């Protein structure tokens, strides 16, 4: 596969691009652009943050992404700006850079290029929720306070108009959409039909959504992947469509888009996704990947299972639909055939009763020790339906079936809740690991039901620690 | 004058544009070789057989070295000659370097390093403090400081408490991992670029490993991407490895640890357990106290003795203890060799006494602040001199006035009432508030290390070249020291060229550590600049027949009363033409310090730095989740050399300290494997973890009683311990969860799990 993209305003063509060469390694080793740093090589520290711009549905979008787990083929047809490419034509600093100097936002300076890039993207997008914007940029020196002062100051400054030249140039970039020859190791299909056909014949290939998981197989597990198929350009698997019965989310939709679109229907799921990874991670990670990796600690599945989501699978021209919870059979084992892939997830329209509780050592960008999602409907004081699903409590995302059964048909009151608590031991036998002990997981899972109940009866002010003001 | 201005970090513009170069950014020749260590997969035992053929056969591998292939000394230890570069057959911890892969790329070396087949005979590893005590594994016999008669005092005290606190370690998580680059020179000489706080030690270890005198090795350090103590000794292995391969191959050699390797291989903050017994009066005045500190050193000694000493030296924090016994156990375990980390044992020692105070307050049903107030050392203006448990007089205590000021500006008393009211109205969420002080001793306790050198040139165009023995890791040392030089010559900071630390320019340096960087190097630079200035004055006196006081250096000019005003450049040029030496070295040795560590007596510190913080937190009693709502800090930096940089140290140090005590949890399994070896599992504070409201001030009355550089105080480490206020506020919130009868003896770090179980323990007593 040959690719083309803009690097700091210049067109770059790479013939026969290596499938899993990361942008970070390429920038530093092949282009001598060493401003972009490696702090962890696994998407957690943000020192490698770059700005990636592309047209999506005819609109230009600017995103912060981690270059360490971004493979070169994912950049085809896009524009990349690194910290070296931010300053203006006369060498003037970007407003974010100038503010970082003025407000003493750098100490050791190693995280600084990544911080600058995250803030520059936010500046371009007019975003000011700096705690979220910087959740994926670790700084060990400053305690963040001066960085926030810089960010606030810079947000008053006009945009760096010189970056707009990328937009015109982007339109002129062409990339080859042709189906590759049989021996090709890389494919980047434009439609689910192309994907389905190719994957049927190349079922040993690795599908790559955002590579926030697969990236680490390369940078940490040091695996060689063989054939790969990038889903980033499969147009009909992106985005969210709504009809009166359901909300349908394409499998290649990024988590940030899911977060933006789902808030209307289920605000607490949007809040859960706000704490999923970081801006950089959510800009890459796809819903299909979050389900497809089969992880027992992913945050998407428990929430979607609680909502009664359906998984849309496709193999060649054959399509099937299964309840999402049935996809997860055992640890590392999912209901998916060779050559089959996730095409979409759909959520039935319903009155919102979903509450999602992500419990981790750190609020932002941490993997859940457990994630409890509760969707309980009450009519005339009696529980009519209860769907409760947990991540981090078993070898798969799992429903609390016994707990649910103790609720349904009973009065929605403290006695019913109390009676349901002991059922958690029946439904779950979690493990000890570095995130939490089994005892903590069980105790907290029970308490989350109490939290849900308290929230319904006393209001969320009584339970939401993140909403307490000083 | 440049000094005391809030100037930006000298490299700020380079940082934000990505132009600041770290070692991995340096352009290297195409034939540069790359290294990776093969690591042991058991924590304790012997290597029985090692098959490295698969490693040798891997793509890009040129060579694989074991301990048998080393040219000279197989040692990278800081002190005790107990840390082989490559295992000599004995395995001391999981992740110990066993062999060294030489390859054509970083990735090739990493991949190959995983291919070895090694047979071990395994022994049960000694992992915990209890394991080490049971096995009698220690680096030296227990050390003890005694003052007065603590046992008698406790025996006749009105009240006595007893307890214990477990204190977790901490990963440095400098954003730039360890890295070294060796460039072989002619005649067997070696130039090393190392991300190190201690270039001289790198020089010595490399020379030892090559079997060469020190003068054949030059070490350069322009900047580190963070250090925090983690680069005081832990960079030795990489520098030595690159030098050995560079010597053997004649090629440039680079080595950097992947983040996971860095976290697995290198040492961290020492874990501690502290047992205490304290006797006290009805007012909460401590009459006698006994601490037993158990310190987990890991497998090699490294800096453990000095760190354990400093923990003992801070067992009093800011409190006058009339009768005290402090016993310290320095334990050896089969875990990473713990090392320096900001505070160097001080934070752990300090946490012990803060716990005691908190416990006493609970016992007496008092506001802990009141108990603190009756125990502080008396203010320096009071004639009565009080001594520390190691018999040093405390003559500069300012904590009393600082705490009073802070309590007022932070509205402590009113907020404490408001917290109690809020807690009465809220069932699930609870708030807590605490005010804690810091008193931190400044100087290396190994007295001879308190020295520094500098080298300053004035070129004939008037531009100045500045060099000294300190290293820049983000703390702004280079900026502060350049401000000192600029002030000496009346020049703007831009006229001073700050240059990389270089063992060829200033020799025999101490590590940039113990917060001493500006104190020592600032003075050494001033000494050099003063000499040069005096030479220029002498020259001008001769030229113009004026007195010294008629000549002033200011605004880039030299004003001579009654005569013309010359530019500094002109003076330099004329001095040169008149054969005046325009280069000088400066030297400084801290006066008046002397310390006998075995006797536990003397004056280990030149002075103390002080600070205090009030933090308010909220916890969730259902999950143990917790947040800092507000923190107010007042910190004493003496007369600040640069208030902007000092404020940065205070804010950053505080947040790092809160991380240590809350989210940062190191977890090992029972085989001795570190499970939290990446940022995905080890959680340092993220942006939203800083206090929602964060008011930080330098104390405007700050003034060092000692004649330090412009009467400033060291600032690197002391603010770290302000994080204790958060831990104590969490403890306060937990005690609001039950009937208040039992003391929430919280261990550190206060993860959601620890908090939840502490709450459960509180609630379990309810109605009992
Ligand atoms: C720093 C960081 C933080 C993270 N934080 C979180 C978090 O808070 N919560 C959380 O849940 N996860 C988190 N993750 C994990 C990760 O982001 C998710 O699992 C993510 O959703 C994977 O999506 P992706 O598109 O990047 O998947 P990829 O890495 O591209 O693929 C993952 C797996 O899914 C398969 N796959 C991808 N698309 C499909 C498809 N359409 N059909 C079938 N199989 C498919 C791939 O073949 C692969 O096996 C984090 C990861 C990182 C690096
Ligand atoms: S290097 Fe840390 S996120 Fe990429």
């Amino acid at each position: 596969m040959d690719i083309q993209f803009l690097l700091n305003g210049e067109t770059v063509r790479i013939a026969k691009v290596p499938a899993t060469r990361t942008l970070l390694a390429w920038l530093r080793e092949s282009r001598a652009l060493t401003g972009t740093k490696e702090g962890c090589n696994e998407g957690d520290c943000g020192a490698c943050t770059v700005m990636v711009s592309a047209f999506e549905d005819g609109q230009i979008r600017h995103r912060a992404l981690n270059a360490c787990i971004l493979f070169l083929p994912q950049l085809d047809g896009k524009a990349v700006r690194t910290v070296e490419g931010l300053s203006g034509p006369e060498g003037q600093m970007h407003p974010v850079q100038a503010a970082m100097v003025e407000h003493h936002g750098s100490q050791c300076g190693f995280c600084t290029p990544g911080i600058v890039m995250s803030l520059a993207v936010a500046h371009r997008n007019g975003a000011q929720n700096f705690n979220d914007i910087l959740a994926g940029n670790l700084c060990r020196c400053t305690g963040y306070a001066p960085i926030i002062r810089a960010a606030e100051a810079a947000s008053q400054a006009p945009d760096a108009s010189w970056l707009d030249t990328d937009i015109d140039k982007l339109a002129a970039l062409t990339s080859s959409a042709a189906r590759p020859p049989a021996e090709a190791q890389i494919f980047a299909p434009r439609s689910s039909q192309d994907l389905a056909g190719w994957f049927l014949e190349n079922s040993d290939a690795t599908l790559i959504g955002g590579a926030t998981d697969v990236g680490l197989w390369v940078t940490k597990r040091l695996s060689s992947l063989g054939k790969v198929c990038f889903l980033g350009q499969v147009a009909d698997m992106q985005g969210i469509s709504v009809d009166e019965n359901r909300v349908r989310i394409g499998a290649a939709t990024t988590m940030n888009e899911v977060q933006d679109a789902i808030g209307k229907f289920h605000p607490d799921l949007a809040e859960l996704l706000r704490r999923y990874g970081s801006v950089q991670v959510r800009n890459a990670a796809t819903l299909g990947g979050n389900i497809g990796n089969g992880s027992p600690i992913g945050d998407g599945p428990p929430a979607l299972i609680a909502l009664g989501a359906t998984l849309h699978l496709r193999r060649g021209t054959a399509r099937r639909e299964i309840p999402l919870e049935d996809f997860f059979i055992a640890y590392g084992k999912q209901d998916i055939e060779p050559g089959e892939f996730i095409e979409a997830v759909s959520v039935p329209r319903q009155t919102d009763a979903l509450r999602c509780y992500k419990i981790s050592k750190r609020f932002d960008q941490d993997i859940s020790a457990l994630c409890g999602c509760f969707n309980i409907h009450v009519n005339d004081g009696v529980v009519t339906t209860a769907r409760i699903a947990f991540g981090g409590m078993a070898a798969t995302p799992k429903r609390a079936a016994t707990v649910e059964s103790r609720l349904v048909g009973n009065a929605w009151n403290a006695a019913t809740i109390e009676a349901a608590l002991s059922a958690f031991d029946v439904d779950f036998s979690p493990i000890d690991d570095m995130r939490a002990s089994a005892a903590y997981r069980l105790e907290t899972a029970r308490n989350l039901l109490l939290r849900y109940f308290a929230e319904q009866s006393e209001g969320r002010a009584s339970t939401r620690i993140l909403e307490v003001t000083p | 004058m440049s000094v005391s201005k809030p100037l930006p970090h000298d490299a700020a513009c380079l940082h934000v544009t990505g132009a600041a170069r770290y070692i991995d950014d340096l352009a290297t020749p195409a034939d540069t070789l790359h290294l990776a260590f093969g690591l042991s997969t058991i924590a304790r035992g012997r290597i029985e057989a090692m098959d490295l053929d698969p490693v040798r056969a891997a793509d890009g591998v040129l060579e694989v070295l074991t301990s048998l292939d080393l040219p000279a000394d197989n040692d990278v230890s800081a002190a005790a000659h107990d840390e082989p570069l490559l295992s000599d057959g004995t395995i001391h911890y999981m992740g110990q370097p066993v062999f060294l892969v030489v390859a054509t790329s970083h990735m090739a070396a990493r991949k190959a390093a995983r291919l070895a087949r090694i047979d071990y005979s395994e022994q049960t590893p000694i992992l915990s403090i209890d394991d080490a005590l049971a096995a009698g594994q220690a680096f030296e016999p227990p050390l003890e400081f005694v003052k007065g008669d603590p046992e008698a005092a406790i025996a006749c005290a009105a009240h006595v408490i007893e307890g214990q606190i477990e204190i977790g370690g901490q990963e440095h998580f400098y954003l730039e991992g360890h890295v070294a680059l060796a460039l072989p020179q002619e005649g067997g000489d070696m130039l090393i670029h190392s991300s190190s706080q201690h270039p001289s030690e790198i020089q010595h270890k490399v020379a030892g490993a090559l079997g060469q005198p020190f003068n054949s090795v030059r070490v350069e350090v322009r900047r580190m991407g963070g250090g925090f103590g983690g680069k005081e000794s832990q960079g030795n292995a990489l520098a030595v490895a690159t030098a050995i391969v560079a010597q053997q191959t004649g090629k440039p050699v680079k080595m950097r640890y992947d983040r996971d390797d860095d976290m697995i291989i290198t040492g961290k903050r020492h874990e501690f357990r502290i047992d205490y017994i304290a006797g006290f009066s009805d007012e909460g005045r401590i009459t006698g106290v006994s601490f037993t500190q158990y310190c987990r050193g890991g497998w090699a000694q490294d800096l453990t003795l000095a760190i354990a000493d400093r923990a003992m030296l801070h067992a009093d924090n800011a409190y006058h203890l009339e009768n005290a016994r402090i016993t310290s156990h320095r334990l050896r375990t089969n875990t990473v060799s713990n090392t320096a980390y900001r505070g160097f044992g001080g934070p752990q020692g300090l946490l012990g006494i803060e716990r005691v105070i908190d416990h006493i307050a609970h016992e007496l049903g008092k506001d802990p602040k009141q108990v603190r107030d009756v125990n502080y050392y008396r203010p320096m203006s009071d004639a009565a001199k009080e001594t520390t448990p190691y018999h040093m007089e405390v003559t500069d205590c300012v904590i009393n006035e600082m705490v009073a000021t802070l309590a007022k500006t932070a509205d402590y008393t009113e907020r404490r009432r408001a917290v109690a009211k809020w807690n009465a109205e809220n069932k699930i969420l609870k708030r807590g508030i605490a005010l804690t002080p810091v008193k931190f001793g400044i100087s290396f306790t190994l007295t001879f290390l308190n020295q520094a050198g500098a080298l300053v040139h004035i070129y004939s165009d008037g531009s100045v070249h500045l060099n000294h023995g300190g290293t820049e890791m983000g703390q702004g040392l280079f900026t502060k020291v350049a401000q000192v030089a600029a002030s000496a010559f009346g020049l703007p900071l831009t006229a001073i060229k700050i240059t990389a630390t270089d063992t060829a320019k200033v020799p025999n340096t101490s590590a940039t550590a113990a917060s001493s960087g500006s104190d020592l190097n600032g003075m050494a630079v001033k000494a050099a600049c003063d000499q040069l200035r005096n030479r220029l004055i002498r020259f001008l006196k001769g030229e113009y027949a004026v007195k010294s006081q008629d000549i002033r250096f200011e605004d880039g000019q030299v004003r001579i009363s009654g005569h013309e005003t010359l530019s500094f450049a002109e003076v330099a040029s004329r001095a040169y033409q008149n054969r005046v030496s325009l280069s000088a070295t400066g030297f400084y040795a801290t006066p008046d310090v002397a310390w006998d560590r075995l006797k536990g007596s003397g004056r280990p510190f030149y002075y103390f730095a002080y600070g205090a913080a009030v933090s308010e937190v909220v916890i969730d009693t259902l999950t143990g989740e917790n947040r800092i709502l507000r923190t107010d800090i007042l910190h004493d930096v003496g007369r600040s050399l640069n208030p902007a940089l000092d404020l940065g140290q205070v804010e950053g140090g505080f947040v790092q300290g809160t991380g240590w005590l809350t989210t940062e949890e190191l977890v090992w399994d029972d085989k001795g494997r570190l499970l939290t070896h990446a940022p995905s599992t080890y959680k340092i504070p993220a942006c939203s973890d800083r206090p929602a409201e964060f008011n930080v001030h330098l104390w405007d009355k700050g003034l060092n009683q000692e004649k330090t550089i412009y009467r400033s105080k060291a600032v690197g480490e002391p603010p770290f311990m302000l994080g204790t206020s958060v831990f104590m506020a969490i403890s306060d919130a937990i005690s609001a969860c039950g009937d208040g009868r039992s003391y929430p003896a919280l261990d550190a770090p206060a993860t959601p799990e620890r908090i939840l179980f502490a709450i459960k323990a509180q609630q379990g007593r309810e109605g009992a």
Side-chain angles (χ1 to χ4, degrees), chain B residues 37-239:
Chain B
F37 285 127
L39 307 180
S40 74
T41 53
I42 64 159
R44 184 177 178 213
R46 299 258 337 146
I47 297 172
E48 294 299 337
M50 194 152 46
D51 176 6
L52 297 175
D53 288 345
V55 185
R56 290 198 180 88
D59 270 358
V61 172
L62 301 175
E63 217 185 320
V64 182
L65 275 61
T66 68
S67 64
L68 302 176
D69 304 313
L70 304 177
D73 215 4
N74 181 16
D75 179 63
V76 293
S77 68
H81 212 277
D82 60 348
E83 220 173 308
L85 170 70
L86 298 173
S87 166
D88 55 9
T90 308
I91 300 296
H92 299 280
Y93 77 109
M94 197 177 295
Q96 183 178 348
V98 171
F99 60 92
L100 179 66
V101 185
V102 184
T104 51
S105 75
H106 173 69
M107 202 48 150
R110 278 180 66 206
K111 280 189 175 168
R114 298 188 186 182
L115 301 175
R117 287 190 286 254
I118 302 178
D119 291 334
Y120 300 98
S121 59
E122 231 177 310
Q123 283 173 278
T124 310
I126 294 165
L127 300 174
S128 66
I129 282 169
D130 286 329
D131 289 351
L133 285 171
Q137 286 288 330
F139 292 106
E140 68 175 355
L143 207 61
E144 200 161 66
F145 297 170
V146 188
K147 179 185 162 191
D149 187 348
E151 285 71 28
I154 292 167
C156 61
H159 308 267
V160 176
I161 53 163
E162 245 178 279
Q164 182 180 80
I165 180 169
E166 299 268 358
I167 304 170
Q170 186 176 26
E171 159 64 34
H172 302 83
F173 210 83
Y174 25 66
L175 261 285
E176 177 209 34
H178 275 283
V179 52
L181 170 66
L183 300 166
Q185 310 291 304
E186 63 183 27
D189 290 355
M190 197 61 68
L191 169 61
I192 306 275
H193 293 272
S194 166
S195 185
S196 169
Q197 293 172 238
H198 200 347
S200 286
E201 186 169 294
I202 297 280
Q203 177 195 29
H204 301 166
K205 299 315 290 189
V206 166
L210 298 181
Q212 299 281 335
F214 293 170
N215 68 5
S216 70
V217 179
R218 211 185 114 200
V219 179
E220 200 181 298
V221 182
R222 174 56 185 88
R223 64 171 59 80
M224 283 162 270
F228 315 113
K231 292 177 179 170
E232 187 166 343
S233 62
Q234 305 293 298
N236 295 355
L238 301 90

Side-chain angles (χ1 to χ4, degrees), chain A residues 28-29 34-35 37-42 44-45 47 83-84 93 97 100-101 104 106-113 116 130-131 134-135 138-146 148-149 218-222 224 275 358-367 434-437 439-440 443-444 447-448 450-451 454 458 461-470, chain B residues 6-9 12-13 15-18 20 22 24-25 107 110-111 114 170-173 175-176 224-226 228 256 258-260 341 422 427-429 431 473-474 618-623 625-627 629-630 644 647-649 651-652 655-656 663-665 667 675-676 678-681 683-690 692-694 752-753 756-757 760:
Chain A
R28 295 183 57 81
E29 292 168 11
T34 53
K37 306 298 183 201
E38 179 184 316
C40 68
N41 217 15
E42 59 164 60
D44 256 289
C45 76
V83 70
E84 292 93 344
M93 280 192 193
Q97 292 173 316
M100 282 285 284
V101 173
H104 310 280
S106 70
Q107 287 184 20
C108 87
F110 201 82
C111 72
T112 310
V116 163
F130 297 118
N131 278 347
L134 293 176
L138 299 178
C139 169
R140 193 52 151 166
C141 298
T142 63
Y144 304 98
I148 298 296
R149 292 194 281 270
V218 173
T219 63
K220 294 292 163 173
R221 214 185 287 166
L222 308 183
S224 307
R275 288 180 50 205
K358 171 169 175 148
I359 309 298
S360 46
K361 281 184 200 165
R362 188 173 75 191
F363 285 110
D364 284 330
Q365 197 187 237
D366 197 355
I367 304 290
M434 65 290 208
R435 295 200 169 87
S437 69
Y440 174 80
E443 176 77 19
T444 304
N447 286 350
L448 292 181
L450 295 173
R451 180 194 276 185
E458 291 158 41
S462 68
T463 60
R464 296 279 169 141
I465 193 168
L466 289 176
E467 292 166 21
V468 176
T469 48
Chain B
L7 298 172
H9 192 283
C13 290
H15 291 156
V16 301
T17 54
Y22 302 79
D24 195 42
D25 303 339
M107 202 48 150
R110 278 180 66 206
K111 280 189 175 168
R114 298 188 186 182
Q170 186 176 26
E171 159 64 34
H172 302 83
F173 210 83
L175 261 285
E176 177 209 34
M224 283 162 270
F228 315 113
R256 69 182 167 91
D258 172 70
R259 175 62 61 183
D260 295 64
Y341 193 143
W422 198 87
K427 212 169 63 207
I428 294 175
L429 304 180
R431 295 192 191 216
M473 59 196 101
V618 55
I619 63 171
D620 183 330
T621 58
L622 294 176
T623 60
E625 291 165 288
N626 58 95
R627 258 180 83 214
L629 294 171
R630 172 174 165 184
L647 196 77
Q649 289 300 297
E651 288 173 332
V655 169
Q656 204 175 82
T663 56
E664 296 185 37
E665 187 179 30
V667 184
L675 301 178
T676 48
S680 51
T681 45
K683 311 312 283 187
I684 70 167
C687 186
S688 69
D689 294 316
R690 75 188 192 289
E693 190 181 332
F694 197 16
E753 175 156 353
L756 184 70
F757 288 129
K760 267 196 80 167

Side-chain angles (χ1 to χ4, degrees), chain A residues 256-331:
Chain A
N256 260 337
E257 287 168 274
V258 178
Q259 182 194 346
D260 287 347
I262 205 73
K264 256 204 314 267
F265 307 99
H266 301 291
D268 226 36
L269 176 50
E271 167 61 12
L272 170 68
L273 295 182
R274 185 188 67 75
R275 288 180 50 205
Y276 175 115
S278 59
V279 170
Q280 295 94 315
V281 170
R282 294 191 300 273
N283 274 334
T286 64
L287 185 58
N290 196 227
I291 296 168
N293 67 7
S295 165
I297 47 176
D299 289 325
L304 293 167
I305 291 171
L307 287 171
T310 299
L311 193 64
H312 301 259
L313 293 155
R314 175 166 176 188
R315 184 169 183 275
T317 52
R319 289 188 160 102
R320 62 188 176 110
E321 296 180 5
I322 57 170
L324 177 55
E325 66 233 57
D326 292 350
F327 180 69
F328 304 99
I329 299 168
Y331 184 77

Side-chain angles (χ1 to χ4, degrees), chain B residues 376 412 553:
Chain B
Y376 289 132
Y412 173 83
F553 292 75

Side-chain angles (χ1 to χ4, degrees), chain A residues 33-247:
Chain A
L33 287 173
T34 53
T36 309
K37 306 298 183 201
E38 179 184 316
C40 68
N41 217 15
E42 59 164 60
D44 256 289
C45 76
C48 65
T49 305
V50 295
M51 179 182 331
V52 177
S53 308
F55 280 100
E56 291 167 24
D57 295 333
Q59 273 202 322
I60 189 78
R61 291 287 174 87
H62 311 290
R63 300 184 187 283
L65 288 167
N66 288 323
C68 67
I69 48 172
L70 189 59
F71 297 133
L72 285 176
Q74 294 177 271
L75 296 170
D76 196 18
K78 299 182 176 174
V80 179
R81 285 270 164 185
T82 68
V83 70
E84 292 93 344
L86 265 193
S87 48
E90 273 93 53
Q92 69 270 42
M93 280 192 193
H94 186 281
V96 160
Q97 292 173 316
M100 282 285 284
V101 173
E102 190 177 343
H103 293 271
H104 310 280
S106 70
Q107 287 184 20
C108 87
F110 201 82
C111 72
T112 310
I115 302 249
V116 163
M117 293 313 296
S118 279
L119 291 178
V121 174
H123 193 255
R124 231 175 157 189
N125 292 334
Q128 296 189 17
N129 48 331
F130 297 118
N131 278 347
D132 292 337
I133 288 160
L134 293 176
N137 288 91
L138 299 178
C139 169
R140 193 52 151 166
C141 298
T142 63
Y144 304 98
I147 296 172
I148 298 296
R149 292 194 281 270
E152 282 167 354
S155 65
Q156 309 303 317
D159 200 5
S161 55
W162 57 84
L163 295 174
D164 288 343
T165 54
D166 278 5
I167 299 174
D168 307 330
K169 288 192 189 165
L170 254 182
L173 280 190
T174 52
S175 56
S176 71
R179 198 173 155 171
E183 72 281 4
Q185 293 290 302
I186 314 180
F187 185 33
R190 304 299 143 115
S191 69
S192 58
Q193 193 176 345
D194 285 356
L195 163 63
W198 186 85
F199 196 37
L200 202 55
E201 289 161 25
N202 299 278
S203 59
D204 56 335
T206 302
L207 301 184
I208 299 181
T212 60
D213 226 340
V214 174
L216 276 68
W217 305 355
V218 173
T219 63
K220 294 292 163 173
R221 214 185 287 166
L222 308 183
S223 310
S224 307
L225 294 186
K227 280 188 190 166
V228 298
C229 181
F230 292 96
L231 308 185
Q233 314 243 28
V234 181
D236 61 328
M237 278 168 58
Q238 319 263 355
I240 290 151
S241 60
V242 182
D243 63 27
E244 69 247 31
N245 297 320
R246 59 185 193 179
V247 178

